Amino acid sequence: MSIVPVAAEKHSSPPKMSTLVFIFAVSFLTIACHAAPRGQCKANRDNTVSYTGFQVWTITPHSKAKQSTLMKIIRHYNLEMWKETNEIHEPVNIMVPPRYQKEIRLRLEEVKIPYDVEISDLQKAISNENPRTNASAANPKAAHQMDWTSYHRLDDIYGYLTYLADRYPCRVQLLNVGSSYEGRPLYVVHITNSTSPNTPAIWVDGGFHAREWISPALATYIIQQLVEEPSNAKLLVNVNWYIMPVVNPDGYEYTHLKNRLWRKTRSPTGSSSAKCQGVDLNRNFDFKWGGPGSSSNPCSQVYKGPSAFSEPETLAYSNFISSKSNEIKLYLSLHSSGQLIMLPWGYERNTFPSDYDEMLTLAKNAACKFRKFTYKVGNKVDLLYQASGNSADWAKSIGIKYVYSVELPINGFILPASNILPVSQDFFRAMDVFAAEVSTLSAV
Ligand SMILES: *[C@@H]1O[C@H](CO)[C@@H](O)[C@H](O)[C@H]1NC(C)=O
Ligand SMILES: *[C@@H]1O[C@H](CO)[C@@H](O)[C@H](O)[C@H]1NC(C)=O
Ligand SMILES: [Zn+2]
């Protein structure tokens, strides 16, 4: 996703005496606004960014000419794309601020590009996404507050991991592999029921991008199933698991507290604009860092950071995986959305690892297991876009055999919590295929 600096905001005429009080009253609200994408920004009373009136449109160009016209419009208004594709018969999703809706509608009609309004009021969709769960209110003394009927704050997720490590000390270890920029612990859960030192392992991570809430939800669901569901014991036979459910905890908390659509980390970049904070962790890896599909502009959603592994999150993550690179045979990084299982390389078009076909066969076998949602399987650049410095390319570059990044269902970042279980249950079926393959390998 490509975002360039915000155009200068229009300022109203100098304040009159009568408006000074009003300005004082609202000034604290507007601070958070600068973190919103460009467009009319209002803040809610609780100082969160409001997306009232923002819409998400779906557009399928169907011809190269129309695709190019559409891209010009998107660039002209600096619209954020929620879903990109190079394929002209596939829809793209764009977020349209209220103040441009009429103008863009007219331009699209002029060039005969039809569009559908997929979300007519983004703030309503956000408000309806995550009905407050009763669990904690109902039972504050429960051993943990986690469930998969709502999206949880970091405390609930970490509380659950701690609970599992206490409750199942032989099979679950909670590894603190570092700290985020704001000082939150970075946890990897190690799940094992094996004593052999040659046991191969599967890596799963979620929460690289803060707003992709379904990803930590699924990662924690996989942990729950592996640890607490006896019928999944076969998945632990000659396979160890390392699962990091929230790679970007600072960003994740920020999406709960301030701006639901924040993507990057929260580290300062030297820019004073709130929108220009943070690094895209998935462009910060030390493999082909800084190439096409990443940006050196801190205000970009794909800002690569000042140097490879400049961020404490990617540094801790890569140090940990490097230390287990003999063990880890399969790597799975969970993102949303798009229903894609993507294979390296992502830094360049038409460039493939030598064992690409083996990776492809296993991924296709895994995708065959899904019943509810259909995923496309293929090369990352073909299915999505070029992205230099991404984590999956790096994982492949250090020699991990099977490397996949996943775009989960369904469409966009706002996925009502009632979808967590259907998406997770469906995806978990693929674990059989992955574990069966990895169990035949040996950690060396
Ligand atoms: C809250 O609890 C009530 C009563 O226990 C239940 O009927 C309701 O479905 C719960 N709501 C949520 C969102 O879980
Ligand atoms: C762990 O392994 C032992 C022996 O191999 C087996 O009996 C047991 O059921 C396994 N437990 C789980 C939870 O996988
Ligand atoms: Zn992502």
Side-chain angles (χ1 to χ4, degrees):
M1 305 191 183
S2 45
I3 294 292
V4 273
V6 185
E9 283 174 27
K10 279 184 199 152
H11 289 281
S12 43
S13 47
K16 299 183 185 81
M17 280 297 281
S18 58
T19 61
L20 281 176
V21 172
F22 173 73
I23 285 169
F24 175 75
V26 298
S27 62
F28 85 98
L29 292 177
T30 61
I31 293 164
C33 275
H34 300 291
R38 66 182 283 178
Q40 289 170 345
C41 175
K42 296 190 189 89
N44 290 326
R45 237 170 238 291
D46 57 358
N47 207 11
T48 58
V49 174
S50 167
Y51 289 90
T52 300
F54 280 66
Q55 296 188 334
V56 177
W57 295 3
T58 301
I59 304 174
T60 311
H62 287 303
S63 81
K64 281 276 173 209
K66 286 184 175 175
Q67 185 185 46
S68 131
T69 308
L70 177 61
M71 289 313 295
K72 272 186 202 142
I73 294 172
I74 288 171
R75 273 194 298 270
H76 180 263
Y77 291 95
N78 193 13
L79 302 177
E80 182 167 352
M81 295 179 77
W82 275 28
K83 184 168 170 237
E84 292 180 50
T85 171
N86 296 316
E87 174 54 54
I88 57 171
H89 298 297
E90 288 286 321
V92 297
N93 287 351
I94 53 176
M95 179 164 74
V96 191
R99 70 169 165 188
Y100 298 137
Q101 281 160 13
K102 193 172 161 202
E103 232 174 286
I104 296 175
R105 192 174 295 127
L106 291 173
R107 287 197 59 178
L108 289 174
E109 279 164 10
E110 219 171 89
V111 292
K112 301 205 163 46
I113 300 179
Y115 67 93
D116 289 315
V117 177
E118 180 159 311
I119 300 178
S120 60
D121 185 338
L122 192 48
Q123 189 55 46
K124 278 204 187 103
I126 290 172
S127 305
N128 293 332
E129 179 188 31
N130 196 25
R132 196 172 286 278
T133 173
N134 296 341
S136 46
N139 191 2
K141 293 219 173 72
H144 67 81
Q145 309 298 340
M146 197 60 192
D147 63 31
W148 288 267
T149 58
S150 69
Y151 297 105
H152 287 259
R153 294 282 302 280
L154 192 69
D155 271 354
D156 287 357
I157 295 175
Y158 281 3
Y160 179 59
L161 305 184
T162 307
Y163 158 80
L164 290 178
D166 288 347
R167 175 82 177 72
Y168 308 96
C170 295
R171 273 186 292 129
V172 181
Q173 284 173 287
L174 191 53
L175 310 172
N176 183 332
V177 302
S179 294
S180 68
Y181 173 76
E182 291 178 346
R184 297 184 175 88
L186 301 170
Y187 284 131
V188 173
V189 183
H190 183 208
I191 305 167
T192 178
N193 189 28
S194 162
T195 49
S196 160
N198 295 329
T199 307
I202 293 177
W203 168 272
V204 182
D205 69 61
F208 254 88
H209 291 138
R211 61 192 174 185
E212 298 167 9
W213 281 6
I214 186 64
S215 149
L218 170 57
T220 51
Y221 177 84
I222 293 172
I223 294 170
Q224 190 273 330
Q225 286 292 300
L226 293 174
V227 176
E228 299 201 288
E229 180 52 57
S231 64
N232 291 322
K234 63 181 183 302
L235 298 176
L236 300 180
V237 178
N238 202 39
V239 180
N240 291 337
W241 296 74
Y242 293 101
I243 303 182
M244 186 174 191
V246 191
V247 176
N248 174 13
D250 298 349
Y252 186 70
E253 284 294 276
Y254 195 75
T255 59
H256 279 269
L257 294 172
K258 297 289 184 191
N259 183 350
R260 175 64 189 85
L261 293 176
W262 191 258
R263 166 182 165 100
K264 299 184 287 181
T265 61
R266 296 296 307 153
S267 59
T269 57
S271 166
S272 57
S273 164
K275 178 183 176 298
C276 308
Q277 308 306 304
V279 168
D280 181 354
L281 292 179
N282 206 23
R283 302 292 185 278
N284 190 240
F285 280 71
D286 193 10
F287 179 74
K288 306 287 175 185
W289 178 81
S294 69
S295 172
S296 46
N297 178 351
C299 309
S300 165
Q301 293 281 38
V302 291
Y303 175 48
K304 65 187 179 178
S307 59
F309 292 149
S310 57
E311 304 309 291
E313 295 85 359
T314 47
L315 191 61
Y317 177 106
S318 60
N319 282 339
F320 182 79
I321 292 184
S322 296
S323 75
K324 306 286 178 199
S325 62
N326 289 340
E327 252 179 88
I328 296 171
K329 298 297 167 189
L330 189 143
Y331 169 101
L332 200 57
S333 190
L334 305 172
H335 290 254
S336 74
S337 66
Q339 296 174 223
L340 309 171
I341 299 181
M342 304 179 296
L343 281 58
W345 303 108
Y347 71 89
E348 197 162 59
R349 179 173 291 281
N350 291 328
T351 311
F352 307 94
S354 58
D355 55 356
Y356 183 83
D357 289 346
E358 281 174 76
M359 280 197 281
L360 187 65
T361 302
L362 185 66
K364 283 184 171 166
N365 289 342
C368 282
K369 291 286 214 169
F370 301 141
R371 296 280 175 275
K372 202 171 176 68
F373 300 101
T374 312
Y375 291 65
K376 285 187 187 165
V377 180
N379 171 259
K380 174 160 178 142
V381 186
D382 289 343
L383 291 178
L384 195 61
Y385 47 47
Q386 221 169 333
S388 301
N390 77 75
S391 71
D393 278 5
W394 173 82
K396 188 62 189 167
S397 79
I398 64 160
I400 296 177
K401 174 72 189 164
Y402 295 102
V403 170
Y404 306 110
S405 55
V406 176
E407 298 289 347
L408 293 165
I410 301 174
N411 223 350
F413 307 114
I414 308 305
L415 182 66
S418 56
N419 291 283
I420 297 172
L421 273 173
V423 167
S424 300
Q425 287 162 345
D426 201 47
F427 192 82
F428 192 77
R429 297 165 182 277
M431 299 305 121
D432 276 351
V433 174
F434 291 147
E437 172 63 21
V438 169
S439 72
T440 67
L441 306 173
S442 177
V444 265

